Amino acid sequence: MKKYIIIVALAFAVMPVLAQETYENAKVTAQDLNGTARYVGMGGAMEALGADISTISTNPAGIGLFRKSTANISFGLVSQQDAQEFAEGNKTNMSFDQVGFVYAARSGQNSFLNFGFNYHKSRNFDYILSAADGLDNASQNKLSYAKQKNGLLFPANSEGVPDFSNPYVSCNQLDDIYARNLNYDTDDNMWYYDPATSYTLDRAHKGYVGQYDFNISGNINDRVYLGMTIGLSDINYRHYGEYTEQLQGPNGNYAMTVADERRIDGAGASVTAGVIVRPVEMSPFRVGLSVATPTWYDMTTSNYTRVFDNMGASVDNSETYDFKLYTPWKFGLSMGHTVGNYLALGASYEYANYAHLDSRYKTGSYYDYWYGEYYDESESDREMNTHTKETLKGVSTLKLGLEYKPDPAIAVRFGYNYVSPMYKMEGYKDGTIQSDGSYYSSATDYTNWKGTNRITCGVGYAAGNFNFDVAYQYSATEGEFAPFMNYWDNVTSLDDNVANVVNVSNKRHQLLVTLGYKF
């Protein structure tokens, strides 16, 4: 009876059209609170106050409030609380967060036409995930066994032997490895599984999403401020993880590990427009509105997966494919007010419905004779997008902030953020979806993250044309981790494959410094 993995050559079929999986998509499209130290110190609540370069991507009209040209550069440290360092993942990392400038040109007695450019790190992927729990006879390979039992993997030929030449309906890379090397006994022509007593997972995530924003903005008689930003995004995501189960085999207990290395690279573009209005001429109170198009991403994902046991046997596989992803529209409403030259108050609200993330197949390309370039054609992955609607939901972000100046040269800032959950708590990574997002998955685990709370503070000092700002941010998110989707057998409970969820968290500390110059 073949019950341990052996070294074999795999022939995992390459699909002609490809898309990505819901949880991986959500991971790379969420955004952090980041930018200049002033912006972060006020909790990002500056969309109506403006005159900070970080508003270039949230409400572009904020750039229209600049009266002098300015340049900024920001950098600092990000540290994860309660993390155990794993592989190349470190608890504390240096981070280059922002660099940009605004050129302000007077176009009338009370009007300006401004131009700006800014780079900022909209997402920092540095994070170490660790989870462990018992397994009451459930296991990852038992899930593959259950899928085969329900006719979702390899059909049998006329002799009753499974046809391993191609995946059938919902075979992913791990299903393929387990079926060929563990679950199927060639001597008895029968399917088996090895139950597990426990598991551990450690995964180090690294990388970032960099956003490059180009802005044109201005104001009309210092009452109405208008702006538009064209944003270009650059995704650089990496992770390496090891998932180990303690299995009960027919010849004794043993440990099996899935080592998974994945990278996602991509580029995207979006357009954001905004307006700020002072409704009362003699009052500094102002209201802001903004709308951002989807970010249209073109991405490539690749992975290397190795499954090995503690007796020296191993098997590996790797895949690379291209896909497209369109994020949802985003809408913003903000208010700001100043008292003299010593107090500024801001509040912002943003909404984006991530249930409308659009995973897309690349279906071909066409040649544009006018421009002499090739362009990709694509269509929505209906099956995966249906799963996304069942798993993700709309996200509301509330930002509050204040700045107090006890002296014209010194500023003290405080801020608070609440970001509502993106994930539905009943959601799960469905490995039975007839989509290439499932076919090319190399991990079965998933985490349903809850809401995020961010508390910020900072100080600033201005000397002539120079300014120096420091901000501190604490963010905390709790989540529920599962090693694989649950399966309940309709015939016998012996084949149920159910794992408990485990509470995990992402608590981060950020120290940010900004150097600025006005000219």
Side-chain angles (χ1 to χ4, degrees):
M1 181 179 295
K2 182 182 68 173
K3 297 298 293 180
Y4 296 96
I5 60 175
I6 59 175
I7 300 176
V8 298
L10 296 180
F12 196 72
V14 176
M15 302 296 175
V17 288
L18 304 155
Q20 180 67 309
E21 189 271 332
T22 295
Y23 281 86
E24 294 296 325
N25 286 340
K27 188 183 299 181
V28 300
T29 55
Q31 293 188 338
D32 298 327
L33 172 63
N34 203 15
T36 66
R38 183 184 182 215
Y39 182 80
V40 172
M42 292 187 66
M46 299 192 67
E47 280 71 32
L49 291 170
D52 189 281
I53 198 168
S54 291
T55 63
I56 195 172
S57 60
T58 53
N59 186 348
I63 304 301
L65 277 87
F66 277 93
R67 296 294 176 267
K68 288 187 177 181
S69 300
T70 185
N72 294 291
I73 185 170
S74 306
F75 51 89
L77 294 172
V78 177
S79 182
Q80 182 182 344
Q81 181 177 318
D82 303 326
Q84 295 182 353
E85 296 191 351
F86 170 75
E88 296 183 0
N90 299 315
K91 292 175 57 176
T92 303
N93 297 280
M94 289 288 297
S95 180
F96 176 70
D97 296 288
Q98 178 272 329
V99 62
F101 70 90
V102 173
Y103 175 73
R106 185 180 294 275
S107 59
Q109 183 175 359
N110 294 312
S111 301
F112 282 77
L113 181 64
N114 297 342
F115 301 89
F117 165 77
N118 188 52
Y119 161 83
H120 84 284
K121 186 180 290 184
S122 65
R123 178 71 164 162
N124 188 334
F125 292 120
D126 291 348
Y127 173 63
I128 301 170
L129 174 65
S130 298
D133 198 19
L135 288 173
D136 186 12
N137 293 324
S139 65
Q140 195 178 71
N141 78 91
K142 187 178 178 181
L143 177 60
S144 297
Y145 164 85
K147 292 169 68 174
Q148 175 63 37
K149 182 179 177 180
N150 284 273
L152 296 177
L153 302 184
F154 299 97
N157 59 24
S158 59
E159 298 178 354
V161 176
D163 180 8
F164 289 121
S165 60
N166 286 297
Y168 182 40
V169 177
S170 299
C171 181
N172 62 35
Q173 294 185 44
L174 292 175
D175 292 329
D176 189 83
I177 290 174
Y178 286 139
R180 296 173 188 271
N181 299 279
L182 178 64
N183 291 141
Y184 179 67
D185 187 285
T186 55
D187 296 332
D188 296 337
N189 189 25
M190 293 182 64
W191 291 89
Y192 299 90
Y193 64 83
D194 283 351
T197 58
S198 63
Y199 74 87
T200 59
L201 171 80
D202 294 289
R203 180 180 293 135
H205 310 75
K206 296 182 70 67
Y208 60 92
V209 177
Q211 186 162 330
Y212 305 81
D213 292 318
F214 302 83
N215 173 275
I216 181 171
S217 58
N219 74 76
I220 303 172
N221 295 324
D222 206 25
R223 289 284 303 279
V224 179
Y225 309 85
L226 303 169
M228 184 180 72
T229 295
I230 297 175
L232 304 178
S233 300
D234 177 27
I235 293 180
N236 296 270
Y237 170 83
R238 311 285 184 268
H239 83 221
Y240 174 77
E242 293 184 357
Y243 172 79
T244 301
E245 290 183 337
Q246 301 297 322
L247 296 172
Q248 298 173 312
N251 300 320
N253 298 339
Y254 66 106
M256 180 178 290
T257 299
V258 177
D260 176 51
E261 183 176 353
R262 179 168 293 276
R263 60 184 295 167
I264 302 173
D265 298 284
S270 64
V271 178
T272 304
V275 58
I276 299 172
V277 178
R278 284 198 302 116
V280 180
E281 182 177 4
M282 302 305 294
S283 172
F285 175 77
R286 40 196 179 263
V287 178
L289 296 171
S290 64
V291 58
T293 69
T295 301
W296 299 286
Y297 279 117
D298 195 336
M299 293 196 270
T300 298
T301 182
S302 59
N303 78 288
Y304 172 74
T305 303
R306 186 167 71 98
V307 181
F308 60 94
D309 62 29
N310 58 352
M311 294 170 287
S314 68
V315 60
D316 57 28
N317 196 3
S318 61
E319 296 292 342
T320 298
Y321 64 89
D322 300 326
F323 66 100
K324 287 181 176 289
L325 176 67
Y326 297 167
T327 68
W329 288 79
K330 182 180 291 186
F331 305 91
L333 171 66
S334 54
M335 296 181 294
H337 186 63
T338 59
V339 179
N341 60 357
Y342 63 89
L343 181 65
L345 302 170
S348 301
Y349 173 80
E350 295 175 351
Y351 180 80
N353 191 348
Y354 286 90
H356 295 299
L357 275 176
D358 185 10
S359 301
R360 302 182 66 86
Y361 294 120
K362 283 190 175 181
T363 57
S365 62
Y366 67 92
Y367 183 74
D368 189 320
Y369 289 94
W370 183 266
Y371 293 100
E373 296 181 357
Y374 283 95
Y375 295 91
D376 291 322
E377 294 180 324
S378 64
E379 65 181 38
S380 295
D381 179 352
R382 297 181 183 274
E383 290 77 11
M384 187 57 68
N385 288 344
T386 297
H387 176 255
T388 299
K389 288 180 173 63
E390 296 170 348
T391 306
L392 305 181
K393 58 183 178 179
V395 173
S396 296
T397 302
L398 175 66
K399 305 176 183 178
L400 302 173
L402 69 85
E403 177 182 70
Y404 173 68
K405 290 186 174 181
D407 181 90
I410 300 174
V412 180
R413 305 170 182 125
F414 298 94
Y416 171 74
N417 273 194
Y418 174 72
V419 184
S420 69
M422 180 189 298
Y423 301 85
K424 297 179 181 178
M425 286 300 103
E426 66 273 18
Y428 61 94
K429 180 182 285 188
D430 190 347
T432 67
I433 299 173
Q434 298 182 39
S435 164
D436 296 321
S438 294
Y439 298 149
Y440 285 86
S441 178
S442 54
T444 59
D445 66 272
Y446 61 93
T447 303
N448 289 328
W449 293 103
K450 302 178 183 178
T452 299
N453 287 279
R454 299 171 178 146
I455 300 173
T456 68
C457 62
V459 295
Y461 177 73
N465 291 333
F466 291 92
N467 65 277
F468 174 79
D469 299 280
V470 179
Y472 166 77
Q473 176 183 183
Y474 171 73
S475 66
T477 311
E478 303 290 333
E480 294 184 350
F481 170 90
F484 40 73
M485 63 177 286
N486 291 334
Y487 166 79
W488 287 270
D489 187 82
N490 294 325
V491 179
T492 170
S493 62
L494 292 176
D495 285 339
D496 287 352
N497 198 59
V498 180
N500 297 323
V501 297
V502 174
N503 293 326
V504 294
S505 67
N506 183 5
K507 299 176 181 178
R508 296 203 300 183
H509 304 268
Q510 180 187 19
L511 182 65
L512 185 65
V513 175
T514 297
L515 304 177
Y517 178 73
K518 295 179 181 180
F519 56 95

